[in-house]
Amino acid sequence: MIQLRDISANGDIAADRLTRVAIDGALDRYLVRAGDVVFRSRGDRNTASVLDGRFIEPVLAVLPLMILRPKSHVITPQYLAWAINQAPAQRFFDSIACGTNMRMLPKAGLAALEIEVPAIETQRKIVEIHALAELEQRLAILSAEKRKTLTTLILNGQAKDLSVAVATGRKKK
């Protein structure tokens, strides 16, 4: 079962932390599979996420998640999720969101969103470039963290050498 809490504000799905449930009855219309898009209709950001190949078993999408099944010959699931998560769509959602305590977006609000739909090949290129930019950003952050750790280790080593030199009265060459 995938719940609102299983999707981060930036659209990442914690597939390994989903709750397992036994399903009784006909819930087929709430079952999602790889290629479907789930939309967060509640919370600070109304983001969309694509279910990828990690989702082999049927997954039950629980309200307030909305299930989107794009027609793959018109729009790819990845492009649809990307477009929904972009600033213009988010500004549109901000303008029509309801609720004071918990931000809510009605289904009609999502249906009113207009998205530019380029050719399928262009959609794929946009999604691929976006994924590469996200990877670059994660690597830049990791690199900065590693550089800071290295600098700290070097400076701590220098401080230790200086404290030994001061204690023994010798100058370090």
Side-chain angles (χ1 to χ4, degrees), residues 112-160:
L113 176 66
E114 292 184 14
I115 295 174
E116 292 289 328
V117 182
I120 294 290
E121 189 56 35
T122 303
Q123 294 175 38
R124 288 189 180 115
K125 287 177 182 177
I126 288 169
V127 170
E128 185 177 343
I129 291 169
H130 176 73
L132 290 171
E134 291 282 313
L135 176 60
E136 178 186 29
Q137 184 177 21
R138 285 193 305 274
L139 291 174
I141 290 168
L142 180 62
S143 175
E145 290 169 353
K146 297 292 184 185
R147 189 172 29 258
K148 181 179 179 182
T149 301
L150 179 61
T151 302
T152 301
L153 289 171
I154 291 169
L155 292 175
N156 284 336
Q158 291 296 316
K160 184 177 181 181

Side-chain angles (χ1 to χ4, degrees), residues 5-172:
R5 69 177 181 206
D6 298 319
I7 304 174
S8 70
N10 65 354
D12 293 332
I13 301 174
D16 56 333
R17 295 188 317 193
L18 299 182
T19 305
R20 289 195 168 277
V21 294
I23 300 174
D24 295 349
L27 299 173
D28 289 346
R29 72 183 222 170
Y30 300 107
L31 292 178
V32 291
R33 59 193 176 281
D36 287 343
V37 176
V38 289
F39 177 75
R40 295 169 41 101
S41 65
R42 305 269 192 291
D44 294 336
R45 289 192 72 220
N46 301 110
T47 56
S49 304
V50 179
L51 275 74
D52 57 28
R54 296 175 296 167
F55 297 91
I56 298 167
E57 298 178 66
V59 179
L60 180 67
V62 179
L63 289 172
L65 294 175
M66 294 183 194
I67 303 168
L68 308 174
R69 293 197 170 105
K71 295 178 179 168
S72 60
H73 65 281
V74 176
I75 188 168
T76 67
Q78 295 81 6
Y79 180 81
L80 176 60
W82 174 84
I84 288 172
N85 294 339
Q86 296 308 297
Q90 293 300 309
R91 283 192 297 275
F92 174 73
F93 295 148
D94 287 343
S95 72
I96 62 170
C98 309
T100 53
N101 218 10
M102 170 70 80
R103 175 184 150 118
M104 298 176 278
L105 189 73
K107 188 176 182 178
L110 177 60
L113 176 66
E114 292 184 14
I115 295 174
E116 292 289 328
V117 182
I120 294 290
E121 189 56 35
T122 303
Q123 294 175 38
R124 288 189 180 115
K125 287 177 182 177
I126 288 169
V127 170
E128 185 177 343
I129 291 169
H130 176 73
L132 290 171
E134 291 282 313
L135 176 60
E136 178 186 29
Q137 184 177 21
R138 285 193 305 274
L139 291 174
I141 290 168
L142 180 62
S143 175
E145 290 169 353
K146 297 292 184 185
R147 189 172 29 258
K148 181 179 179 182
T149 301
L150 179 61
T151 302
T152 301
L153 289 171
I154 291 169
L155 292 175
N156 284 336
Q158 291 296 316
K160 184 177 181 181
D161 288 346
L162 285 175
S163 65
V164 169
V166 169
T168 61
R170 289 186 270 147
K171 289 186 179 178
K172 182 167 168 103

